[in-house]
Amino acid sequence: MTDRHFPPFLIPAFRHIMLLGGMACCAATASASNDLALQLETSLLTDSNPFRFYDHQTDAQRLEIQRLTDMINTTDVRGGAIIPLLSEQTRLILTGSLGNRHYKDYRQLDHQQAAGDAVLEWQASKMLDGRVAAGKDKRLFQYINGTLTERDLAHQTTGSADINLKISDEWQLRSRWFRSELAYDLPVNQLYNLTERGQQAGALYLSPTGSSIGAGIRHSDVSYPDRTPQQIADLDRHYQENEFFLDAEWQYSVKTATSAHLGMIRRRYTVLDERNSNLFNAIWRGVYRYSPKLRLDVQLYNRPFSIVDPAVLYVTSKGIRFDALWHWSDKTRFNFSTLWQASDQQLIPRLTLPGNTSRQENLQRIGAGASYQLERGFRVFFDSFYERTTRKADDQQLKQAVVKLGLEYTFENLPGSAAKTGLLRYQQSLSASDPIRE
């Protein structure tokens, strides 16, 4: 079989598959007791609005960048290994991903994205265990409304340490220390470079039926080291945040489970105390396994978060999401999702017009996907979404549709190694939420 039998964008993938397959076989032979997984994915995407322009924006407002539907050629190589150290409970998990993105028209967006993680899970006794994790991630900046049309890459570094003390079969004490850094390449976004340090502590009760309830407190310090004196005067340079939270999960039956997170967040700024905020963070999730082949998920949420916009203090989003996953056969699966969301962007008074305290938007999103498992670890898949954002002040709309068609090859020296190493987190899904992909 020659190269002319394949679509052009698949040819490099098959060449890499042969190389990776040989490497995987050698590694598996050298250490058959370790879990080892290698993946290669190649896909073709069409994106109707890569820079996420609003419909009303003129060519001048787009900085002479025309709005085009672009085609993106992607290739990703992922790998993971689980290495037992002192026991099966004390092990090292190493994973990583490397990918290329090539745009047909917006060539300035061509980039390479990468991620790597190392996790040490340890158990000192039946009462004491924990984990230490470190990771790096590089990916394309998430464009907001067409105001930025240059390529920017976001670099994130994370680290954490967890210690769990099992007092009894029902009660656990949990503590966590974490640190993260976020940095952007373009100077226009570097005022959002940040460093976060924090701790979390709590208690968890586990019932014999599988239900649980826990409570705790999270404290974090967030600083923006690259802001100028004028940016500090407008946006501040540091804030502290405390969240008091309650987590609960109820295993109602074999088919039905529900969980919730409730948190009260108290944020205090160093310089601009008028920005001090009290926020409510809540998410409720229900899971219903209608049959071994059909699973339904519902999520309700009220969540605050930050965006890269110098006029916005924070955003609060309220929404409902529905996901369905259908295993039509052992090899074929379909998924569907829909989302309704209302966002309220709280504006910074000193940077906006008098009386203009918030900006509201409504979002509707529909996603659909399918996959078919071929022989010898090959999987073909389809993934897509369409979303429409409406700005309530002037009814302007932002629309985007993305369709993805791809081929994935997975090598495992032991069945289920890809799932055990957690390679799924590197696979961006357009249509399914993370919980339903677990």
Side-chain angles (χ1 to χ4, degrees):
M1 185 174 291
T2 62
D3 288 349
R4 68 175 181 270
H5 291 89
F6 298 100
F9 77 96
L10 292 181
I11 294 173
F14 280 96
R15 291 173 178 167
H16 281 86
I17 286 173
M18 301 304 296
L19 176 61
L20 288 174
M23 295 171 57
C25 291
C26 293
T29 303
S31 182
S33 61
N34 299 343
D35 281 277
L36 176 68
L38 293 172
Q39 282 185 342
L40 177 65
E41 177 186 313
T42 183
S43 60
L44 194 63
L45 290 87
T46 59
D47 190 335
S48 67
N49 193 1
F51 288 113
R52 295 178 61 80
F53 292 118
Y54 277 94
D55 288 346
H56 77 289
Q57 287 177 287
T58 65
D59 288 340
Q61 290 173 311
R62 296 174 191 150
L63 305 179
E64 298 182 354
I65 298 291
Q66 293 184 343
R67 176 174 173 173
L68 301 172
T69 295
D70 210 346
M71 187 170 292
I72 306 109
N73 188 349
T74 77
T75 304
D76 292 275
V77 179
R78 298 182 284 264
I82 300 177
I83 306 170
L85 299 177
L86 302 177
S87 66
E88 290 296 329
Q89 288 74 36
T90 299
R91 58 187 188 169
L92 181 64
I93 305 174
L94 302 174
T95 56
S97 175
L98 183 64
N100 286 314
R101 302 291 182 267
H102 296 289
Y103 289 72
K104 179 183 177 182
D105 295 306
Y106 294 124
R107 300 303 299 271
Q108 72 270 31
L109 293 182
D110 287 357
H111 67 281
Q112 186 179 83
Q113 64 182 40
D117 295 277
V119 179
L120 173 63
E121 297 180 347
W122 58 269
Q123 182 172 344
S125 66
K126 292 183 178 179
M127 295 180 59
L128 189 64
D129 63 68
R131 69 197 301 266
V132 179
K136 281 194 171 185
D137 184 274
K138 178 182 73 171
R139 63 183 60 247
L140 189 68
F141 170 73
Q142 297 297 306
Y143 295 92
I144 302 174
N145 53 16
T147 56
L148 180 64
T149 55
E150 298 178 69
R151 183 184 66 188
D152 195 10
L153 295 177
H155 305 260
Q156 186 170 30
T157 303
T158 59
S160 63
D162 297 76
I163 298 178
N164 304 319
L165 177 62
K166 187 177 180 181
I167 299 176
S168 66
D169 291 339
E170 293 82 18
W171 285 98
Q172 294 183 15
L173 297 179
R174 297 185 170 186
S175 58
R176 186 169 190 259
W177 293 262
F178 57 89
R179 186 181 189 277
S180 66
E181 294 182 355
L182 179 64
Y184 296 96
D185 285 347
L186 285 181
V188 69
N189 280 337
Q190 287 178 357
L191 74 160
Y192 291 100
N193 293 353
L194 65 85
T195 300
E196 180 180 13
R197 300 178 179 88
Q199 308 86 37
Q200 180 173 310
L204 180 68
Y205 172 77
L206 297 167
S207 75
T209 62
S211 301
S212 65
I213 186 169
I217 182 174
R218 175 187 59 84
H219 170 79
S220 63
D221 286 270
V222 179
S223 60
Y224 299 89
D226 297 322
R227 289 183 174 175
T228 65
Q230 183 58 52
Q231 291 168 346
I232 292 174
D234 291 334
L235 302 170
D236 217 311
R237 66 173 183 268
H238 169 266
Y239 68 81
Q240 289 188 341
E241 193 171 86
N242 292 309
E243 180 182 14
F244 299 89
F245 63 86
L246 176 68
D247 291 321
E249 182 172 350
W250 182 28
Q251 192 70 40
Y252 176 75
S253 68
V254 176
K255 292 185 175 182
T256 307
T258 183
S259 61
H261 173 89
L262 301 175
M264 293 299 301
I265 298 175
R266 182 177 181 269
R267 181 181 293 185
R268 295 296 180 264
Y269 288 85
T270 301
V271 178
L272 307 175
D273 54 8
E274 73 268 20
R275 297 186 63 185
N276 293 345
S277 308
N278 295 315
L279 308 172
F280 180 55
N281 181 25
I283 181 170
W284 174 88
R285 177 179 167 218
V287 181
Y288 178 57
R289 294 175 175 82
Y290 177 79
S291 70
K293 292 186 176 183
L294 180 60
R295 169 175 164 170
L296 307 175
D297 276 44
V298 177
Q299 298 180 51
L300 300 172
Y301 58 88
N302 181 100
R303 310 202 72 177
F305 59 92
S306 301
I307 64 173
V308 181
D309 187 331
V312 178
L313 178 60
Y314 61 86
V315 181
T316 300
S317 292
K318 301 178 176 66
I320 178 172
R321 174 162 185 150
F322 171 78
D323 281 88
L325 177 63
W326 180 33
H327 291 269
W328 186 61
S329 68
D330 293 338
K331 294 185 177 183
T332 307
R333 56 188 287 176
F334 300 93
N335 67 276
F336 170 81
S337 65
T338 183
L339 168 69
W340 297 272
Q341 177 178 285
S343 298
D344 189 359
Q345 302 177 6
Q346 295 297 315
L347 305 179
I348 299 174
R350 67 174 62 214
L351 302 179
T352 58
L353 297 175
N356 191 17
T357 60
S358 67
R359 186 166 58 207
Q360 297 179 338
E361 293 183 340
N362 291 329
L363 167 68
Q364 296 88 39
R365 179 184 175 113
I366 296 176
S371 67
Y372 180 74
Q373 189 73 40
L374 301 171
E375 300 298 331
R376 294 184 177 180
F378 285 90
R379 182 176 72 100
V380 293
F381 62 89
F382 165 83
D383 204 9
S384 66
F385 78 84
Y386 169 79
E387 71 177 31
R388 180 180 64 190
T389 301
T390 304
R391 198 164 55 195
K392 294 185 69 175
D394 52 12
D395 286 330
Q396 294 298 329
Q397 294 187 344
L398 186 159
K399 301 173 185 176
Q400 185 181 24
V402 180
V403 177
K404 180 178 181 180
L405 180 64
L407 171 66
E408 177 188 272
Y409 170 74
T410 301
F411 169 84
E412 299 173 314
N413 70 326
L414 298 173
S417 293
K420 291 179 184 178
T421 55
L423 295 187
L424 189 66
R425 67 179 175 274
Y426 300 125
Q427 304 173 26
Q428 182 183 11
S429 176
L430 304 176
S431 58
S433 63
D434 289 338
I436 204 168
R437 298 172 66 212
E438 297 172 352

